[in-house]
């Protein structure tokens, strides 16, 4: 996925996003500047972890959507419509599972 930069240019930047369950049981999206290669000694540090509990998703067009958290709106773009729909579907499932844990 690409995320919209937070600076004034609002350009999209390639990032590596991973959907997983945090230690507290809430689903989250973690993103990195570099591709994550688990088990290697040079594992990159995550740039952010986005807890999905209470989030909403709004599809903007065929390849872009907004993941709205209580703290920030994350504008994300996939390389194609199919991948965008897959991300939205998986994120919605994770949001629902995070709500169930309340």
């Amino acid at each position: 996925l690409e995320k919209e930069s937070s600076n004034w240019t609002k350009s999209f930047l390639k990032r590596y996003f991973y959907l997983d369950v945090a230690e507290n049981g809430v689903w989250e999206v973690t993103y990195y500047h570099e591709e994550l290669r688990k088990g290697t000694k040079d594992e990159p540090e995550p740039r952010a972890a986005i807890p999905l509990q209470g989030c909403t998703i709004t599809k903007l067009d065929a390849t872009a959507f907004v993941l709205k958290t209580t703290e920030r709106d994350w504008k994300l773009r996939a390389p194609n419509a199919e991948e965008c729909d897959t991300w939205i579907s998986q994120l919605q499932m994770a949001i629902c599972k995070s709500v169930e844990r309340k």
Side-chain angles (χ1 to χ4, degrees), residues 3-22:
K3 79 165 196 70
E4 188 176 63
S5 70
S6 56
N7 65 22
W8 62 273
T9 64
K10 298 297 182 192
S11 59
F12 280 85
L13 307 167
K14 174 131 176 103
R15 297 294 181 251
Y16 299 91
F17 289 81
Y18 298 89
L19 178 61
D20 206 356
V21 179

Side-chain angles (χ1 to χ4, degrees), residues 56-61 64-68 74 76 88 92:
T56 60
I57 298 173
T58 304
K59 190 169 184 178
L60 300 174
D61 59 36
F65 62 95
V66 174
L67 177 63
K68 185 176 181 107
W74 297 81
L76 304 171
I88 290 172
Q92 287 174 330

